[in-house]
Amino acid sequence: QDEAGIPGILVGVSVDGKEVWSEGLGYADVENRVVCKPETIMRIASISKCLTMMAVAKLWEEGKLDLDAPVQKYVPEFPEKVYEGEKVAITTRLLVSHLSGIRHYEKDVTKVKEEKEKANRAFKLTKPYQDEERNGKEGKGIEKTDSVKPRKEHGSEVKSRNSKPGRRDKEFEQEEYYLKEKFESVIDSLKIFKNDPLFFKPGSQFLYSTYGFTLLSAVVERVSGRKFTDYMLNMFRDLDMLSTVLDDNEAMIYNRARCYVYNKKGRLVNAPYVDNSYKWAGGGFLSSVGDLLKFGNALLYSYQAGQFKNTSGKLLPGYLRPDTVAMMWTPVPKTEVSWDRDGKYAMAWAVVEKNQQYGCCRQQRHYASHTGGAVGASSVLLILPEELDSEAIDTGLEAPPRGVIVSIICNMQSVSLNSTALKIAREFDKEKRAQYI
């Protein structure tokens, strides 16, 4: 909070399905001296993509949605696309992994390619020093997945580490972050980008795209037969996420925090007015850390439920099937993750897989996470599943969910939170193991 100059920050931790820490630090409203508390609600930015993916997965399980059908099957308003003279197909599966070729906020493909090349060069330059540092520090098998990152990050994962308070990150110079138009339907919001050319052939490259999720919301709406926002709010009720709502400027939302940025002079100011109705699915929800923990536990429970054999039928089914969550958390080829270079993007989640190349050296621990960056807000949700012991599973003495979940939200943009969440998760995991021993 001090390093990034954040007015208010919320943190929540869950261990084995139980919320063990939830706290607000600083101010939800600086002008009126309203302090942050666990119930405070903030913009969760791109964690909204994880919520939308839950809806997609549910509809797929119910047999209503074909992940590999062209999106025009459900949304004929989205025009068929041609790339370099060849007719191409965009599917739901490509949308959820950012492989569709649909642009993000930057409209100039040349600028996007230049930034990608710069990021790759920066990563290659820092990697030898990063590896040397790890070899020197990690000879005792200490887990470490934080890597040196290039300066340029994805739109929803911009980093404060590379920008001082008072300097606006380049990402937030894109005009479309500041749209003020209120869209009455997700179909209507497609007009922003639907006629723009694709940046590459679908499936060939990775480009993080919030607009891809706007198209995804139209697919959910048509497949479910319900207005997208109604379908999502009903899902939140099923998940007991009663504080998770639309980022609607007109609605009276109790405990909603204000959003802040630093101006060019380095002074704290109120964030500009924006209307996020054009991107409900990709960055348009508000929530509390407690609700995000519930969401994480619903996923973790679903993921692990099939592994516990001897529970005499006492376990209720998860919201999703275990194999569905496993599919969502399976890294997809050709993808990348800006907030942890050890990871790959999966289906609306970033995933770091368990890995150890050399004995008594660096270990990677399996975890899933997503970060978010919006005007005046940053966020992260991280799920660290327990490495289940076969004996504990077979005896039936334990039940899911087993693992640590961390959620952090703050009312300041361009703040890097993933590495902090991972450190917190490891500390609670270490404490849990120490108690077990």
Side-chain angles (χ1 to χ4, degrees):
Q1 185 183 16
D2 291 342
E3 287 174 3
I6 304 169
I9 189 166
L10 313 172
V11 59
V13 179
S14 169
V15 177
D16 297 343
K18 297 179 181 178
E19 187 178 301
V20 296
W21 180 33
S22 183
E23 188 171 349
L25 306 165
Y27 291 101
D29 183 334
V30 174
E31 291 166 290
N32 295 299
R33 286 295 187 261
V34 178
V35 297
C36 283
K37 52 188 177 182
E39 299 79 24
T40 300
I41 293 173
M42 293 185 181
R43 284 177 177 158
I44 62 170
S46 285
I47 296 176
S48 301
K49 295 178 173 68
C50 303
L51 306 184
T52 301
M53 184 63 220
M54 183 77 103
V56 170
K58 192 69 173 175
L59 291 167
W60 175 74
E61 279 191 352
E62 294 170 352
K64 297 177 180 178
L65 172 60
D66 182 351
L67 294 176
D68 298 305
V71 292
Q72 288 80 10
K73 176 181 177 180
Y74 309 111
V75 190
E77 292 88 345
F78 189 78
E80 293 185 346
K81 293 293 182 179
V82 174
Y83 184 76
E84 295 184 348
E86 178 188 355
K87 185 178 177 182
V88 294
I90 295 174
T91 66
T92 299
R93 191 181 298 275
L94 294 176
L95 288 174
V96 298
S97 296
H98 302 290
L99 295 170
S100 68
I102 293 173
R103 70 175 178 88
H104 193 39
Y105 296 109
E106 175 58 70
K107 298 180 183 179
D108 189 337
V109 64
T110 305
K111 288 183 180 179
V112 171
K113 288 179 177 178
E114 287 175 356
E115 291 293 346
K116 270 202 164 191
E117 288 171 4
K118 284 180 186 177
N120 289 332
R121 284 198 300 270
F123 179 63
K124 287 175 182 176
L125 287 171
T126 56
K127 197 174 189 306
Y129 300 102
Q130 164 194 329
D131 292 341
E132 184 179 338
E133 183 180 353
R134 282 174 176 162
N135 291 335
K137 290 184 178 180
E138 297 174 18
K140 296 182 181 179
I142 299 172
E143 295 175 5
K144 185 174 176 65
T145 64
D146 298 339
S147 56
V148 178
K149 282 104 174 163
R151 292 180 69 87
K152 178 66 182 174
E153 304 292 349
H154 294 322
S156 295
E157 287 73 47
V158 285
K159 306 298 180 180
S160 67
R161 201 172 280 172
N162 298 322
S163 59
K164 299 175 183 177
R167 194 185 84 185
R168 173 175 284 184
D169 192 288
K170 283 185 179 179
E171 177 65 33
F172 285 95
E173 292 176 3
Q174 299 299 328
E175 292 180 3
E176 287 176 346
Y177 262 110
Y178 303 96
L179 293 181
K180 295 175 175 59
E181 180 181 353
K182 185 175 182 63
F183 291 89
E184 297 302 325
S185 72
V186 295
I187 299 295
D188 190 29
S189 62
L190 296 178
K191 70 181 183 183
I192 298 172
F193 62 92
K194 70 178 184 180
N195 293 318
D196 294 341
L198 299 181
F199 276 20
F200 52 80
K201 183 178 179 180
S204 66
Q205 295 181 44
F206 177 88
L207 177 66
Y208 191 92
S209 172
T210 289
Y211 287 137
F213 274 72
T214 298
L215 176 55
L216 191 64
S217 66
V219 172
V220 170
E221 183 163 294
R222 289 294 167 74
V223 170
S224 67
R226 302 183 63 181
K227 192 175 180 181
F228 172 75
T229 50
D230 291 344
Y231 184 88
M232 294 300 292
L233 292 172
N234 185 69
M235 186 184 81
F236 298 153
R237 188 171 70 248
D238 289 343
L239 294 168
D240 195 32
M241 298 169 62
L242 304 182
S243 296
T244 306
V245 294
L246 300 172
D247 187 3
D248 186 345
N249 293 310
E250 295 177 358
M252 297 296 294
I253 300 172
Y254 295 104
N255 297 315
R256 172 161 42 179
R258 301 190 71 162
C259 299
Y260 299 94
V261 297
Y262 283 96
N263 65 15
K264 292 180 180 179
K265 296 181 179 180
R267 295 184 67 88
L268 186 71
V269 295
N270 289 303
Y273 174 90
V274 295
D275 191 304
N276 286 326
S277 59
Y278 70 103
K279 58 173 182 179
W280 295 130
F285 292 110
L286 305 173
S287 191
S288 64
V289 287
D291 267 18
L292 292 181
L293 293 179
K294 289 178 181 178
F295 176 72
N297 276 311
L299 269 174
L300 186 57
Y301 182 100
S302 297
Y303 180 64
Q304 294 176 333
Q307 300 178 47
F308 290 82
K309 309 297 182 185
N310 298 325
T311 53
S312 304
K314 295 177 182 177
L315 283 182
L316 290 169
Y319 188 78
L320 298 175
R321 296 194 302 259
D323 58 328
T324 302
V325 185
M327 175 183 72
M328 287 167 52
W329 287 351
T330 299
V332 175
K334 300 179 183 177
T335 63
E336 60 193 57
V337 176
S338 65
W339 58 93
D340 193 328
R341 282 283 175 170
D342 288 324
K344 290 281 187 183
Y345 208 84
M347 300 176 83
W349 284 91
V351 177
V352 172
E353 294 188 293
K354 182 180 179 181
N355 183 40
Q356 186 172 11
Q357 292 181 319
Y358 307 105
C360 295
C361 293
R362 178 175 176 266
Q363 300 172 10
Q364 280 180 197
R365 177 77 178 274
H366 172 230
Y367 79 90
S369 75
H370 211 294
T371 64
V375 174
S378 303
S379 60
V380 65
L381 175 61
L382 187 144
I383 302 175
L384 182 70
E386 181 179 324
E387 295 179 338
L388 295 171
D389 181 88
S390 58
E391 183 180 345
I393 294 172
D394 293 338
T395 57
L397 296 176
E398 295 180 353
R402 305 289 299 179
V404 180
I405 298 172
V406 179
S407 60
I408 308 175
I409 324 173
C410 66
N411 54 0
M412 170 59 63
Q413 69 191 39
S414 304
V415 181
S416 174
L417 295 171
N418 192 77
S419 59
T420 302
L422 189 56
K423 289 174 185 175
I424 292 171
R426 285 180 181 148
E427 286 299 318
F428 279 86
D429 181 67
K430 190 192 304 179
E431 180 66 22
K432 187 179 79 164
R433 280 184 281 142
Q435 289 177 354
Y436 179 77
I437 294 169

